[in-house]
């Protein structure tokens, strides 16, 4: 096994060597001796005992060195000192001990440094103090020549003198951040400015403390209004001025509250719950995140269909069934007026129970749940009838899926749809007691309670088999659910 591995390694090395050699050959063929030199050097590293590669490397090295020296001289003649410096750097990398090249390189570096310092002077005079200081540092690193150090001192003097005056103007204008930054720059170049810079730093710290608190208060106000985006922006601005403090956990809190809202909008209930848990761990919750966490948790609920009250008769005044007479008409008018004025009261129920038996329709309610359940109650006589039928469904306080209820009148000739109402599951979860109304439906009473069972069980109802005949109107939509006080 060891021999196989060594053989594979040798094959890889030889392949790499051949590739580098071919690359060098191509570069040499077009006179690109720098590239040829680099490629042959890599090939020689892989195969140091190859006379052929060594010859190619030596040739490329000589020609690359000659080219670099010639180009450096040409660039110097036209005062392109950046080019001259780059070429001399390459030449020194090929022949580090060449004193002539080193001397040329030092002169080129000095010329480049002096040019950089000229630019730094211009930047400093234009108020670009940080840029001027950075360029001055680079020039000093590039060349230790006395002329460079002298010119750099001119730049330093301009920055410290003019920068100090500008920092004072910033301070007078109330721009404490700019004043502090410039004062620190001046101090880094002039130790004698220590007391002056400390005074500006004190002003700056006072400003930052007040500004952080102001931004935090803005965040507090937005948080109280549940405006998570604006609160996060304010707390984030405070943290950009000073890390830590009370803004840090508050920013994390509102950020995760905003994330929870986004996940709720996408019906990602588990993701929203995770975000609320993280928000709670910040220790900044005033009870709202905990409340929302309770609301977003999916739980089984028992939905009970308590009762239904329909209008005593048709829109034209005729009874649903049987012949209309004066007694029916008086009872129907009084019931309708009382229900409109007072809602579902005991008097309304008594009036409903007073409707003559021959005018009482047989009512049945079908339930259409978005989970796919299609259930029906048994038929019962009366414009008001109680059912206490129920089913179990999983939902939460944000579940906007709608449950539809269709009220049918069954008769010897089939079923007639009297009215349809529907309600989002979230309203049943939130209000627990609701009354729905719609066309010909005065009040359909529902109640909701927590249930330990899994979704699916039902009582007092049966599955609709077969489905309604073709042409049966779908469940009604758009009728608002009214919580029962």
């Amino acid at each position: 096994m060891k021999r196989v591995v060594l053989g594979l390694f040798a094959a890889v090395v030889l392949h790499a060597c051949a590739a580098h050699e071919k690359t060098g050959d191509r570069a040499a063929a077009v006179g690109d001796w720098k590239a040829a030199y680099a490629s042959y050097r890599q090939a020689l590293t892989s195969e140091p005992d190859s006379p052929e590669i060594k010859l190619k490397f030596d040739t490329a090295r000589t020609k690359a060195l000659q080219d670099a020296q010639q180009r450096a001289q040409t660039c110097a003649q036209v005062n392109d000192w950046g080019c001259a410096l780059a070429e001399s750097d390459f030449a020194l990398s090929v022949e580090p001990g060449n004193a002539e090249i080193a001397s040329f390189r030092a002169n080129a570096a000095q010329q480049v440094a002096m040019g950089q310092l000229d630019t730094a002077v211009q930047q400093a005079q234009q108020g670009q103090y940080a840029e001027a200081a950075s360029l001055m540092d680079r020039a000093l690193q590039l060349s230790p020549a006395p002329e460079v150090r002298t010119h750099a001192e001119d730049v330093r003097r301009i920055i410290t003198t003019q920068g100090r005056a500008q920092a004072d103007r910033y301070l007078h204008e109330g721009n404490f951040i700019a004043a502090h930054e410039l004062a620190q720059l001046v101090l880094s170049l002039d130790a004698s400015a220590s007391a002056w810079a400390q005074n500006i730093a004190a002003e700056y710290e006072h400003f930052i403390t007040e500004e952080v608190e102001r931004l935090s208060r803005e965040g507090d106000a937005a948080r109280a209004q549940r405006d998570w985006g604006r609160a996060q922006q304010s707390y984030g601005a405070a943290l950009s001025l000073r890390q830590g403090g009370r803004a840090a956990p508050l920013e994390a809190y509102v950020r995760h509250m905003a994330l929870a809202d986004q996940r709720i909008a996408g019906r990602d209930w588990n993701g929203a719950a995770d975000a609320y848990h993280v928000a709670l761990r910040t220790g900044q919750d005033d009870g709202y995140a905990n409340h929302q966490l309770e609301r977003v948790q999916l739980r089984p609920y028992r939905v009970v269909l308590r009762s239904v009250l329909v209008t005593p008769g048709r829109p034209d005044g005729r009874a649903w069934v049987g012949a209309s007479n004066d007694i029916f008409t008086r009872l129907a008018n009084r019931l309708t007026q009382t229900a409109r004025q007072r809602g579902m009261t005991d008097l309304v129920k008594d009036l409903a129970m007073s409707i003559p038996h021959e005018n009482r329709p047989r009512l049945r309610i079908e339930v259409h749940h978005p989970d796919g359940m299609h259930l029906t109650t048994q038929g019962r006589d009366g414009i008001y009838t109680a059912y206490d039928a129920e089913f179990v469904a999983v939902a939460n306080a944000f579940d906007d899926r709608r449950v539809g209820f269709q009220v049918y009148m069954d008769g010897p000739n089939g079923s007639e749809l009297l009215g349809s109402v529907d309600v989002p599951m979230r309203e049943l979860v939130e209000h627990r007691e609701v009354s729905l109304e719609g066309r010909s439906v005065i009040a359909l009473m529902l109640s909701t309670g927590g249930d330990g069972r899994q979704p699916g069980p039902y009582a007092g109802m049966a599955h609709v088999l077969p489905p309604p005949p073709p042409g049966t109107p779908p469940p009604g939509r758009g009728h608002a659910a009214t919580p029962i006080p």
Side-chain angles (χ1 to χ4, degrees), residues 21-320:
E21 184 179 5
K22 287 181 180 179
T23 303
D25 291 344
R26 287 194 293 268
V30 296
D32 186 355
W33 295 109
K34 286 183 182 178
Y37 164 73
S39 296
Y40 289 141
R41 183 173 57 182
Q42 289 179 308
L44 195 60
T45 301
S46 301
E47 198 173 349
D49 297 329
S50 171
E52 182 180 356
I53 296 176
K54 189 174 186 310
L55 178 60
K56 291 180 179 180
F57 170 74
D58 288 341
T59 301
R61 178 181 179 280
T62 299
K63 289 188 174 294
L65 183 59
Q66 291 174 351
D67 280 356
Q69 288 177 302
Q70 290 174 359
R71 289 177 182 174
Q73 292 293 340
T74 301
C75 292
Q77 290 173 4
V78 295
N79 292 326
D80 187 351
W81 293 108
C83 165
L85 179 61
E87 293 295 338
S88 59
D89 279 338
F90 174 78
L92 275 178
S93 71
V94 176
E95 193 172 298
N98 191 313
E100 182 181 351
I101 297 175
S103 176
F104 180 89
R105 191 267 176 200
N107 181 58
Q110 178 180 338
Q111 297 300 325
V112 171
M114 294 296 284
Q116 290 177 338
L117 291 170
D118 288 341
T119 302
V121 168
Q122 296 175 2
Q123 291 176 330
Q125 290 175 342
Q126 294 170 1
Q128 300 173 10
Y129 304 111
E131 294 84 349
S134 177
L135 200 54
M136 180 187 70
D137 288 340
R138 293 203 298 272
L140 288 170
Q141 292 171 8
L142 189 59
S143 174
E147 294 85 352
V148 172
R149 290 198 298 271
T150 300
H151 200 5
E153 178 60 25
D154 295 336
V155 176
R156 188 195 68 81
R157 190 180 303 109
I158 294 173
I159 294 174
T160 56
T161 302
Q162 296 186 8
R164 186 164 179 164
Q166 180 61 57
D168 288 337
R169 284 193 291 271
Y170 283 146
L171 193 64
H172 180 73
E173 294 167 359
N175 191 345
F176 298 97
I177 295 176
H180 178 65
E181 290 178 351
L182 189 49
Q184 292 303 304
L185 175 62
V186 170
L187 179 60
S188 69
L189 300 176
D190 182 6
S192 67
S194 176
W196 167 80
Q198 286 179 1
N199 289 334
I200 291 183
E203 295 275 3
Y204 166 79
E205 286 298 323
H206 179 72
F207 163 76
I208 290 298
T209 299
E210 290 191 342
E211 187 67 4
V212 165
E213 182 56 29
R214 182 188 69 80
L215 290 168
S216 296
R217 286 196 301 269
E218 286 185 358
D220 295 341
R223 178 167 57 95
Q225 297 173 0
R226 317 303 185 200
D227 187 346
W228 311 123
R230 187 161 59 89
Q232 185 180 353
Q233 185 177 15
S234 295
Y235 290 135
L239 289 173
S240 70
L241 295 176
R242 177 178 290 158
Q243 288 296 307
R246 75 181 188 89
L250 286 168
E251 190 278 336
Y253 174 79
V254 298
R255 174 159 39 87
H256 284 92
M257 294 299 288
L259 179 60
D261 283 354
Q262 293 172 8
R263 289 176 173 173
I264 286 173
R267 298 181 61 84
D268 180 5
W269 312 130
N270 291 332
D274 290 343
Y276 285 132
H277 278 299
V278 177
L280 285 169
R281 286 199 293 270
T282 66
Q284 303 302 310
D285 186 43
D286 58 0
Y288 184 74
N290 192 59
H291 175 64
Q292 291 294 88
L293 180 59
E294 288 294 313
R295 295 180 70 216
V296 81
Q297 298 284 359
L298 287 171
R299 297 185 177 88
Y301 290 92
R302 180 170 59 96
V303 181
V304 182
L305 175 55
R306 296 293 186 193
S307 63
V308 66
L309 173 68
V310 299
T311 57
R314 301 176 185 277
D316 61 4
R318 292 182 298 118
W320 293 111

Side-chain angles (χ1 to χ4, degrees), residues 430-462:
E430 289 280 77
H431 300 301
R432 302 300 178 96
E433 299 284 342
V434 299
S435 175
L436 307 181
E437 62 179 275
R439 179 177 63 88
S440 300
V441 178
I442 295 176
L444 188 146
M445 311 297 293
L446 301 169
S447 65
T448 309
D451 197 285
R453 295 174 291 175
Q454 293 299 309
Y458 54 90
M461 289 187 285

